[in-house]
Amino acid sequence: MSRRILTLLVLVVLPGAVLTAISTYYLFPEWVVLDKSYQNYQKLAQVPTSSVRDLNVAQAAENRHRLNCFAEGVGVLLGGVIVAIGIHGICTLPQQR
C-alpha cells in the first residue's frame, strides 16, 4: 500500500467513518426520546383540561429533541460525505509503476 493511499485512509476516510459512527450512536437514543415527546404532546393536545402553558412546554420539549435529531442526522451525512471524498481520492490517484 502506498503512502498516499495510507495518508488518505488515515486522514480522511477514518475520521469520516468515526464521525458517522459517533453521530449515529447519539442519533438513535435521541430519536426514541423525540418519539416519546411527540406522543406526550399529542396526549396533552387531546386532553380538554390542558392549559396553553402545558402545551407550550410540551411543544418546546418536542422541538428541542427534533433539533437534536436534525443535528445528529447532519453529522451522519457529513461523515458519509467525508468518507466518500476520501474514497474518491483513493480511486483517482494515478497508478504508480
Coordinates of all heavy atoms in Angstrom, one line a residue:
M1 N 0.9 -1.2 0.0 CA 0.0 0.0 0.0 C 0.9 1.2 0.0 O 1.8 1.3 0.8 CB -0.9 0.0 1.2 CG -1.9 1.1 1.2 SD -3.0 1.1 2.6 CE -3.7 -0.5 2.6
S2 N 0.6 2.1 -0.9 CA 1.5 3.3 -1.0 C 1.2 4.3 0.1 O 0.2 4.3 0.8 CB 1.3 4.0 -2.4 OG 0.0 4.6 -2.4
R3 N 2.1 5.2 0.3 CA 2.0 6.3 1.3 C 0.7 7.2 1.1 O 0.1 7.6 2.0 CB 3.2 7.2 1.3 CG 4.2 6.8 2.3 CD 5.2 7.9 2.4 NE 6.3 7.4 3.1 CZ 7.5 7.8 2.9 NH1 7.8 8.7 2.0 NH2 8.5 7.3 3.7
R4 N 0.5 7.4 -0.2 CA -0.6 8.3 -0.5 C -2.0 7.7 -0.1 O -2.9 8.4 0.4 CB -0.6 8.7 -2.0 CG 0.7 9.5 -2.3 CD 0.9 9.4 -3.8 NE 0.4 10.6 -4.5 CZ 0.4 10.7 -5.8 NH1 0.7 9.7 -6.5 NH2 -0.1 11.8 -6.3
I5 N -2.1 6.4 -0.4 CA -3.4 5.7 0.0 C -3.5 5.7 1.5 O -4.6 5.9 2.0 CB -3.4 4.3 -0.7 CG1 -3.5 4.4 -2.2 CG2 -4.6 3.5 -0.1 CD1 -3.4 3.1 -2.9
L6 N -2.4 5.3 2.1 CA -2.4 5.3 3.6 C -2.8 6.6 4.2 O -3.5 6.7 5.2 CB -1.1 4.7 4.1 CG -1.0 4.4 5.6 CD1 -2.0 3.3 5.9 CD2 0.4 4.0 6.0
T7 N -2.2 7.7 3.7 CA -2.5 9.0 4.1 C -4.0 9.4 4.0 O -4.6 9.9 4.9 CB -1.6 10.1 3.4 OG1 -0.2 9.7 3.6 CG2 -1.9 11.5 3.9
L8 N -4.5 9.1 2.8 CA -5.9 9.4 2.6 C -6.8 8.5 3.5 O -7.8 9.0 4.1 CB -6.3 9.1 1.2 CG -6.0 10.2 0.2 CD1 -6.2 9.8 -1.2 CD2 -6.8 11.5 0.5
L9 N -6.4 7.3 3.8 CA -7.2 6.4 4.7 C -7.2 7.0 6.1 O -8.2 7.0 6.8 CB -6.7 5.0 4.6 CG -7.1 4.1 3.5 CD1 -6.4 2.8 3.5 CD2 -8.6 3.9 3.5
V10 N -6.0 7.3 6.6 CA -5.9 7.8 7.9 C -6.4 9.2 8.2 O -7.0 9.4 9.2 CB -4.4 7.7 8.4 CG1 -4.2 8.3 9.7 CG2 -3.9 6.2 8.4
L11 N -6.2 10.1 7.2 CA -6.6 11.5 7.4 C -8.0 11.9 6.9 O -8.5 12.9 7.3 CB -5.5 12.4 6.8 CG -4.1 12.3 7.4 CD1 -3.2 13.2 6.7 CD2 -4.2 12.6 8.9
V12 N -8.6 11.0 6.1 CA -9.9 11.4 5.5 C -10.9 10.3 5.8 O -12.0 10.6 6.4 CB -9.8 11.7 4.0 CG1 -11.1 12.1 3.5 CG2 -8.7 12.8 3.8
V13 N -10.7 9.1 5.3 CA -11.7 8.1 5.4 C -12.0 7.7 6.8 O -13.1 7.6 7.3 CB -11.3 6.8 4.6 CG1 -12.3 5.7 4.7 CG2 -11.1 7.2 3.1
L14 N -10.9 7.4 7.6 CA -11.1 7.0 9.0 C -11.8 8.1 9.9 O -12.8 7.8 10.6 CB -9.8 6.6 9.6 CG -9.8 6.0 11.0 CD1 -10.6 4.8 11.0 CD2 -8.4 5.8 11.5
P15 N -11.4 9.4 9.8 CA -12.2 10.4 10.6 C -13.6 10.5 10.1 O -14.5 10.7 10.9 CB -11.4 11.7 10.4 CG -10.0 11.3 10.0 CD -10.2 10.0 9.3
G16 N -13.9 10.4 8.8 CA -15.3 10.4 8.4 C -16.1 9.3 8.9 O -17.3 9.5 9.3
A17 N -15.5 8.1 8.9 CA -16.2 6.9 9.4 C -16.5 7.1 10.9 O -17.5 6.7 11.4 CB -15.4 5.7 9.1
V18 N -15.5 7.6 11.6 CA -15.7 7.8 13.1 C -16.8 8.9 13.3 O -17.6 8.7 14.2 CB -14.3 8.3 13.7 CG1 -14.5 8.8 15.1 CG2 -13.3 7.1 13.7
L19 N -16.8 10.0 12.6 CA -17.8 11.0 12.7 C -19.2 10.4 12.4 O -20.2 10.6 13.2 CB -17.6 12.1 11.8 CG -18.7 13.2 11.7 CD1 -18.8 13.9 13.1 CD2 -18.4 14.2 10.6
T20 N -19.3 9.5 11.4 CA -20.6 8.9 11.1 C -21.0 8.0 12.3 O -22.2 8.0 12.7 CB -20.5 8.1 9.8 OG1 -20.2 9.0 8.8 CG2 -21.8 7.4 9.5
A21 N -20.1 7.2 12.8 CA -20.4 6.3 13.9 C -20.8 7.0 15.1 O -21.8 6.6 15.8 CB -19.2 5.4 14.1
I22 N -20.1 8.1 15.5 CA -20.5 8.8 16.7 C -21.8 9.5 16.6 O -22.6 9.4 17.5 CB -19.4 9.8 17.0 CG1 -18.1 9.1 17.5 CG2 -19.8 10.8 18.1 CD1 -16.9 10.0 17.7
S23 N -22.1 10.1 15.4 CA -23.3 10.8 15.2 C -24.5 9.8 15.2 O -25.6 10.0 15.7 CB -23.3 11.5 13.9 OG -22.4 12.6 14.0
T24 N -24.3 8.6 14.6 CA -25.3 7.6 14.6 C -25.6 7.0 16.0 O -26.7 6.8 16.4 CB -24.9 6.4 13.7 OG1 -24.6 6.9 12.4 CG2 -26.0 5.3 13.6
Y25 N -24.5 6.9 16.8 CA -24.6 6.4 18.2 C -25.5 7.4 19.0 O -26.3 6.9 19.8 CB -23.2 6.3 18.8 CG -23.3 5.9 20.3 CD1 -23.5 4.6 20.6 CD2 -23.1 6.9 21.2 CE1 -23.5 4.3 22.0 CE2 -23.1 6.5 22.6 CZ -23.3 5.2 22.9 OH -23.3 4.9 24.3
Y26 N -25.4 8.7 18.8 CA -26.2 9.6 19.5 C -27.5 9.9 18.9 O -28.4 10.4 19.6 CB -25.4 11.0 19.7 CG -24.3 10.8 20.7 CD1 -23.0 10.9 20.3 CD2 -24.6 10.7 22.1 CE1 -22.0 10.8 21.3 CE2 -23.6 10.6 23.0 CZ -22.3 10.6 22.6 OH -21.3 10.5 23.5
L27 N -27.7 9.6 17.6 CA -29.0 9.8 16.9 C -30.1 8.9 17.4 O -31.2 9.4 17.7 CB -28.8 9.7 15.4 CG -30.1 9.8 14.6 CD1 -30.7 11.2 14.7 CD2 -29.8 9.5 13.1
F28 N -29.8 7.6 17.5 CA -30.9 6.7 17.8 C -31.5 6.9 19.2 O -32.8 6.9 19.3 CB -30.4 5.2 17.6 CG -30.3 4.9 16.1 CD1 -29.1 4.5 15.6 CD2 -31.4 5.0 15.3 CE1 -29.0 4.3 14.2 CE2 -31.3 4.7 13.9 CZ -30.1 4.3 13.4
P29 N -30.8 7.1 20.3 CA -31.5 7.4 21.5 C -32.3 8.7 21.5 O -33.3 8.8 22.1 CB -30.3 7.5 22.6 CG -29.2 6.8 21.9 CD -29.3 6.9 20.5
E30 N -31.7 9.7 20.8 CA -32.5 10.9 20.7 C -33.7 10.8 19.9 O -34.8 11.4 20.2 CB -31.6 12.0 20.1 CG -32.1 13.4 20.1 CD -32.2 13.9 21.5 OE1 -31.4 13.6 22.4 OE2 -33.2 14.7 21.8
W31 N -33.7 9.9 18.9 CA -34.9 9.6 18.1 C -36.0 9.0 19.0 O -37.2 9.3 18.9 CB -34.5 8.7 17.0 CG -35.6 8.5 16.0 CD1 -36.8 7.8 16.1 CD2 -35.7 9.1 14.7 NE1 -37.5 7.9 14.9 CE2 -36.9 8.7 14.1 CE3 -34.9 10.0 14.0 CZ2 -37.3 9.1 12.8 CZ3 -35.2 10.4 12.8 CH2 -36.4 10.0 12.2
V32 N -35.6 8.1 19.9 CA -36.6 7.4 20.8 C -37.2 8.5 21.7 O -38.4 8.5 22.0 CB -35.9 6.3 21.6 CG1 -36.8 5.8 22.7 CG2 -35.4 5.2 20.7
V33 N -36.4 9.4 22.2 CA -36.9 10.4 23.1 C -37.8 11.4 22.4 O -38.8 11.8 22.9 CB -35.7 11.2 23.8 CG1 -36.2 12.3 24.6 CG2 -34.9 10.2 24.7
L34 N -37.5 11.7 21.1 CA -38.3 12.5 20.3 C -39.7 11.9 20.1 O -40.7 12.5 20.2 CB -37.7 12.8 18.9 CG -38.5 13.5 17.9 CD1 -38.9 14.9 18.3 CD2 -37.8 13.5 16.5
D35 N -39.7 10.6 19.9 CA -41.0 9.9 19.7 C -41.8 9.9 20.9 O -43.0 10.2 20.9 CB -40.7 8.4 19.3 CG -42.0 7.7 18.8 OD1 -42.8 8.3 18.1 OD2 -42.1 6.5 19.2
K36 N -41.2 9.7 22.1 CA -41.9 9.8 23.4 C -42.4 11.3 23.6 O -43.6 11.5 24.1 CB -41.0 9.4 24.5 CG -40.8 7.9 24.5 CD -39.9 7.5 25.7 CE -39.5 6.1 25.6 NZ -38.6 5.7 26.6
S37 N -41.6 12.2 23.3 CA -42.0 13.6 23.4 C -43.2 14.0 22.5 O -44.1 14.7 22.9 CB -40.8 14.5 23.2 OG -41.2 15.9 23.3
Y38 N -43.1 13.5 21.3 CA -44.2 13.7 20.4 C -45.5 13.1 20.9 O -46.6 13.7 20.8 CB -43.9 13.2 19.0 CG -45.0 13.2 18.0 CD1 -45.3 14.4 17.4 CD2 -45.7 12.1 17.6 CE1 -46.4 14.5 16.5 CE2 -46.7 12.2 16.7 CZ -47.1 13.4 16.2 OH -48.1 13.4 15.3
Q39 N -45.4 11.9 21.4 CA -46.6 11.2 21.9 C -47.2 11.9 23.1 O -48.4 12.1 23.3 CB -46.3 9.8 22.2 CG -46.1 8.9 21.0 CD -45.7 7.5 21.3 OE1 -45.5 7.1 22.5 NE2 -45.4 6.7 20.3
N40 N -46.3 12.5 24.0 CA -46.7 13.2 25.1 C -47.5 14.5 24.7 O -48.5 14.9 25.2 CB -45.5 13.6 26.0 CG -45.9 14.4 27.2 OD1 -47.0 14.1 27.8 ND2 -45.1 15.4 27.6
Y41 N -46.9 15.2 23.7 CA -47.6 16.4 23.2 C -49.0 16.1 22.6 O -49.9 16.8 22.8 CB -46.7 17.0 22.1 CG -47.2 18.3 21.5 CD1 -47.4 19.4 22.3 CD2 -47.6 18.4 20.2 CE1 -47.9 20.6 21.8 CE2 -48.1 19.6 19.7 CZ -48.2 20.7 20.5 OH -48.7 21.8 19.9
Q42 N -49.1 14.9 21.9 CA -50.3 14.5 21.3 C -51.4 14.2 22.4 O -52.5 14.6 22.3 CB -50.2 13.3 20.4 CG -49.4 13.6 19.1 CD -50.2 14.6 18.3 OE1 -51.4 14.6 18.2 NE2 -49.4 15.5 17.6
K43 N -50.9 13.6 23.5 CA -51.8 13.3 24.6 C -52.3 14.6 25.2 O -53.5 14.7 25.5 CB -51.1 12.4 25.6 CG -51.2 11.0 25.3 CD -50.7 10.2 26.6 CE -49.5 9.4 26.2 NZ -48.9 8.7 27.3
L44 N -51.4 15.5 25.4 CA -51.8 16.8 26.0 C -52.8 17.5 25.1 O -53.7 18.2 25.6 CB -50.6 17.6 26.3 CG -49.8 17.3 27.6 CD1 -48.6 18.2 27.7 CD2 -50.7 17.5 28.8
A45 N -52.6 17.4 23.8 CA -53.5 18.1 22.9 C -54.9 17.6 22.9 O -55.8 18.3 22.7 CB -52.9 18.1 21.5
Q46 N -55.0 16.3 23.2 CA -56.3 15.6 23.3 C -57.1 15.9 24.6 O -58.3 15.8 24.6 CB -56.1 14.1 23.1 CG -55.5 13.7 21.8 CD -56.4 14.1 20.6 OE1 -57.6 14.1 20.7 NE2 -55.7 14.5 19.5
V47 N -56.3 16.2 25.6 CA -57.0 16.5 26.9 C -57.6 17.9 26.9 O -56.9 18.8 26.7 CB -56.0 16.3 28.1 CG1 -56.6 16.7 29.4 CG2 -55.4 14.9 28.1
P48 N -58.9 18.0 27.2 CA -59.5 19.3 27.1 C -59.1 20.2 28.3 O -59.2 21.4 28.2 CB -61.0 19.0 27.2 CG -61.2 17.6 27.6 CD -59.9 16.9 27.4
T49 N -58.6 19.6 29.4 CA -58.3 20.5 30.6 C -56.8 21.0 30.5 O -56.4 21.7 31.5 CB -58.5 19.7 31.9 OG1 -57.7 18.5 31.8 CG2 -60.0 19.3 32.0
S50 N -56.1 20.6 29.5 CA -54.7 21.1 29.5 C -54.6 22.5 29.1 O -55.4 23.0 28.3 CB -53.9 20.2 28.5 OG -54.4 20.4 27.2
S51 N -53.7 23.2 29.8 CA -53.6 24.7 29.6 C -52.7 25.0 28.4 O -51.9 24.1 27.9 CB -53.1 25.4 30.8 OG -51.7 25.0 31.1
V52 N -52.7 26.2 28.0 CA -51.8 26.6 26.9 C -50.4 26.5 27.3 O -49.5 26.2 26.6 CB -52.2 28.1 26.5 CG1 -51.2 28.6 25.4 CG2 -53.6 28.1 25.9
R53 N -50.1 26.8 28.6 CA -48.7 26.7 29.1 C -48.2 25.3 29.1 O -47.1 25.1 28.7 CB -48.7 27.2 30.6 CG -47.3 27.2 31.2 CD -47.3 27.8 32.6 NE -46.0 28.0 33.1 CZ -45.3 27.1 33.7 NH1 -45.7 25.9 33.8 NH2 -44.1 27.4 34.1
D54 N -49.1 24.3 29.4 CA -48.7 22.9 29.3 C -48.3 22.5 27.9 O -47.4 21.8 27.6 CB -49.8 22.0 29.9 CG -50.0 22.2 31.3 OD1 -49.1 22.6 32.0 OD2 -51.1 21.8 31.8
L55 N -49.2 23.0 27.0 CA -48.9 22.7 25.6 C -47.6 23.3 25.1 O -46.9 22.7 24.3 CB -50.1 23.1 24.7 CG -51.4 22.3 24.8 CD1 -52.5 23.0 24.1 CD2 -51.1 20.9 24.3
N56 N -47.4 24.6 25.5 CA -46.2 25.3 25.1 C -44.9 24.6 25.6 O -43.9 24.4 24.9 CB -46.2 26.7 25.5 CG -47.1 27.6 24.7 OD1 -47.4 27.2 23.5 ND2 -47.5 28.7 25.2
V57 N -45.0 24.1 26.8 CA -43.8 23.4 27.4 C -43.6 22.1 26.7 O -42.5 21.7 26.3 CB -44.0 23.1 28.9 CG1 -43.0 22.2 29.5 CG2 -44.0 24.5 29.7
A58 N -44.7 21.3 26.4 CA -44.5 20.1 25.6 C -44.0 20.3 24.2 O -43.2 19.5 23.7 CB -45.9 19.3 25.6
Q59 N -44.5 21.4 23.6 CA -44.1 21.7 22.2 C -42.6 22.1 22.2 O -41.8 21.7 21.3 CB -44.9 22.8 21.7 CG -44.5 23.1 20.2 CD -45.4 24.3 19.6 OE1 -45.9 25.1 20.4 NE2 -45.5 24.3 18.3
A60 N -42.2 22.8 23.2 CA -40.7 23.2 23.3 C -39.8 22.0 23.5 O -38.8 21.9 22.9 CB -40.5 24.2 24.5
A61 N -40.3 21.0 24.3 CA -39.5 19.8 24.5 C -39.4 19.0 23.2 O -38.4 18.5 22.9 CB -40.2 19.0 25.6
E62 N -40.5 18.9 22.5 CA -40.5 18.2 21.2 C -39.6 18.9 20.2 O -38.8 18.2 19.6 CB -41.9 18.1 20.7 CG -42.0 17.4 19.4 CD -43.3 17.5 18.7 OE1 -44.3 17.9 19.3 OE2 -43.4 17.1 17.5
N63 N -39.7 20.2 20.2 CA -38.8 20.9 19.2 C -37.3 20.8 19.6 O -36.5 20.7 18.7 CB -39.2 22.4 19.2 CG -40.5 22.6 18.4 OD1 -40.9 21.8 17.6 ND2 -41.2 23.7 18.7
R64 N -37.0 20.7 20.9 CA -35.6 20.6 21.3 C -35.1 19.2 20.8 O -34.0 19.1 20.2 CB -35.6 20.6 22.8 CG -34.2 20.4 23.4 CD -34.2 20.4 24.9 NE -35.0 19.4 25.5 CZ -36.0 19.6 26.4 NH1 -36.2 20.8 26.8 NH2 -36.7 18.6 26.9
H65 N -35.9 18.2 21.0 CA -35.5 16.8 20.5 C -35.4 16.8 19.0 O -34.6 16.1 18.4 CB -36.4 15.8 21.1 CG -36.3 15.7 22.6 ND1 -35.1 15.4 23.3 CD2 -37.2 15.9 23.6 CE1 -35.3 15.4 24.6 NE2 -36.6 15.7 24.8
R66 N -36.4 17.4 18.4 CA -36.4 17.4 16.9 C -35.1 18.1 16.4 O -34.5 17.6 15.4 CB -37.6 18.2 16.4 CG -37.9 18.0 14.9 CD -39.2 18.6 14.6 NE -40.3 18.0 15.3 CZ -40.9 16.9 15.0 NH1 -40.5 16.2 14.0 NH2 -42.0 16.5 15.7
L67 N -34.7 19.2 17.0 CA -33.5 19.9 16.6 C -32.2 19.1 16.8 O -31.3 19.0 16.0 CB -33.4 21.2 17.3 CG -32.2 22.1 16.9 CD1 -32.3 22.5 15.5 CD2 -32.2 23.4 17.8
N68 N -32.2 18.3 17.9 CA -31.1 17.5 18.2 C -31.0 16.3 17.2 O -29.9 16.0 16.8 CB -31.2 16.9 19.6 CG -30.9 17.9 20.7 OD1 -30.3 18.9 20.4 ND2 -31.3 17.6 21.9
C69 N -32.1 15.8 16.8 CA -32.1 14.7 15.8 C -31.6 15.3 14.5 O -30.9 14.6 13.8 CB -33.5 14.1 15.7 SG -34.0 13.0 17.0
F70 N -32.1 16.5 14.1 CA -31.6 17.1 12.9 C -30.1 17.3 12.9 O -29.4 16.9 11.9 CB -32.3 18.4 12.7 CG -31.8 19.2 11.5 CD1 -32.1 18.9 10.2 CD2 -30.9 20.3 11.8 CE1 -31.5 19.6 9.2 CE2 -30.4 21.0 10.7 CZ -30.7 20.7 9.4
A71 N -29.6 17.8 14.0 CA -28.1 18.0 14.1 C -27.3 16.7 14.0 O -26.3 16.6 13.3 CB -27.8 18.7 15.4
E72 N -27.8 15.7 14.7 CA -27.1 14.4 14.6 C -27.2 13.8 13.2 O -26.3 13.2 12.7 CB -27.7 13.4 15.6 CG -27.4 13.8 17.1 CD -25.9 13.9 17.4 OE1 -25.1 13.3 16.7 OE2 -25.6 14.7 18.3
G73 N -28.4 13.9 12.5 CA -28.5 13.5 11.2 C -27.6 14.2 10.2 O -27.0 13.6 9.3
V74 N -27.4 15.5 10.4 CA -26.4 16.2 9.6 C -25.0 15.7 9.8 O -24.2 15.6 8.9 CB -26.5 17.7 9.9 CG1 -25.4 18.5 9.3 CG2 -27.8 18.3 9.3
G75 N -24.7 15.3 11.1 CA -23.4 14.7 11.4 C -23.2 13.4 10.6 O -22.1 13.1 10.1
V76 N -24.2 12.6 10.6 CA -24.2 11.3 9.9 C -23.9 11.6 8.4 O -23.0 11.0 7.8 CB -25.4 10.5 10.1 CG1 -25.5 9.3 9.2 CG2 -25.6 10.1 11.5
L77 N -24.7 12.5 7.8 CA -24.5 12.8 6.4 C -23.1 13.4 6.1 O -22.5 13.1 5.1 CB -25.6 13.7 5.9 CG -27.0 13.1 5.9 CD1 -28.0 14.2 5.5 CD2 -27.1 12.0 4.9
L78 N -22.7 14.3 7.0 CA -21.4 14.9 6.7 C -20.2 13.9 6.8 O -19.3 13.9 6.0 CB -21.1 16.1 7.8 CG -19.8 16.8 7.7 CD1 -19.8 17.5 6.3 CD2 -19.7 17.8 8.8
G79 N -20.3 13.0 7.8 CA -19.3 11.9 7.9 C -19.3 11.1 6.6 O -18.3 10.7 6.1
G80 N -20.5 10.8 6.1 CA -20.6 10.0 4.9 C -20.0 10.7 3.7 O -19.3 10.1 2.9
V81 N -20.2 12.0 3.6 CA -19.6 12.8 2.5 C -18.1 12.8 2.7 O -17.3 12.7 1.7 CB -20.1 14.3 2.5 CG1 -19.3 15.2 1.7 CG2 -21.6 14.2 2.1
I82 N -17.5 12.9 3.9 CA -16.1 12.9 4.1 C -15.5 11.6 3.7 O -14.5 11.5 3.0 CB -15.8 13.3 5.5 CG1 -16.1 14.8 5.8 CG2 -14.3 13.1 5.8 CD1 -16.0 15.2 7.2
V83 N -16.2 10.5 4.1 CA -15.7 9.2 3.6 C -15.7 9.0 2.1 O -14.8 8.5 1.5 CB -16.6 8.1 4.3 CG1 -16.3 6.7 3.7 CG2 -16.4 8.0 5.8
A84 N -16.8 9.5 1.5 CA -16.9 9.5 0.0 C -15.8 10.3 -0.6 O -15.2 9.8 -1.7 CB -18.3 9.9 -0.4
I85 N -15.5 11.4 -0.1 CA -14.4 12.2 -0.7 C -13.0 11.5 -0.5 O -12.2 11.5 -1.5 CB -14.3 13.6 0.0 CG1 -15.5 14.4 -0.4 CG2 -13.0 14.3 -0.3 CD1 -15.6 15.7 0.4
G86 N -12.8 10.8 0.6 CA -11.6 10.1 0.8 C -11.5 8.9 -0.2 O -10.4 8.6 -0.8
I87 N -12.6 8.2 -0.3 CA -12.6 7.0 -1.3 C -12.4 7.5 -2.7 O -11.7 6.9 -3.5 CB -13.9 6.2 -1.1 CG1 -13.8 5.5 0.3 CG2 -14.0 5.2 -2.2 CD1 -15.1 4.8 0.7
H88 N -13.0 8.6 -3.0 CA -12.9 9.2 -4.4 C -11.4 9.5 -4.6 O -10.9 9.3 -5.7 CB -13.8 10.4 -4.6 CG -13.7 11.0 -5.9 ND1 -12.8 12.0 -6.2 CD2 -14.3 10.7 -7.1 CE1 -12.9 12.4 -7.4 NE2 -13.8 11.6 -8.0
G89 N -10.8 10.1 -3.6 CA -9.4 10.5 -3.7 C -8.5 9.3 -3.9 O -7.5 9.3 -4.7
I90 N -8.8 8.2 -3.2 CA -8.0 7.0 -3.4 C -8.2 6.4 -4.8 O -7.3 6.0 -5.4 CB -8.4 5.9 -2.3 CG1 -7.9 6.4 -0.9 CG2 -7.9 4.6 -2.6 CD1 -8.5 5.6 0.2
C91 N -9.5 6.4 -5.3 CA -9.8 5.9 -6.6 C -9.1 6.7 -7.7 O -8.9 6.1 -8.8 CB -11.3 5.8 -6.8 SG -12.0 4.5 -5.8
T92 N -8.9 8.0 -7.5 CA -8.4 8.8 -8.6 C -6.9 9.0 -8.6 O -6.4 9.8 -9.3 CB -9.2 10.2 -8.6 OG1 -9.0 10.8 -7.4 CG2 -10.6 10.0 -8.9
L93 N -6.3 8.4 -7.6 CA -4.8 8.5 -7.6 C -4.2 7.9 -8.8 O -4.7 6.9 -9.3 CB -4.2 7.8 -6.4 CG -4.4 8.5 -5.0 CD1 -3.9 7.6 -3.9 CD2 -3.6 9.8 -5.0
P94 N -3.2 8.5 -9.4 CA -2.5 7.9 -10.6 C -1.8 6.6 -10.2 O -1.3 6.5 -9.1 CB -1.6 9.0 -11.0 CG -1.4 9.9 -9.9 CD -2.6 9.8 -9.0
Q95 N -1.8 5.7 -11.1 CA -1.2 4.4 -10.9 C 0.3 4.6 -10.9 O 0.9 5.3 -11.8 CB -1.6 3.4 -12.0 CG -3.0 3.1 -12.0 CD -3.5 2.3 -10.8 OE1 -2.7 1.5 -10.2 NE2 -4.7 2.6 -10.3
Q96 N 1.0 4.0 -9.9 CA 2.5 4.1 -9.8 C 3.0 2.8 -10.4 O 2.5 1.7 -10.3 CB 2.9 4.2 -8.4 CG 2.5 5.5 -7.8 CD 3.0 5.6 -6.3 OE1 3.5 4.7 -5.8 NE2 3.0 6.8 -5.8
R97 N 4.1 3.0 -11.1 CA 4.8 1.8 -11.8 C 6.1 1.5 -11.1 O 6.8 2.2 -10.6 CB 5.0 2.1 -13.3 CG 3.7 2.2 -14.0 CD 3.9 2.3 -15.5 NE 2.6 2.4 -16.1 CZ 2.3 3.2 -17.1 NH1 3.3 4.0 -17.6 NH2 1.1 3.2 -17.6

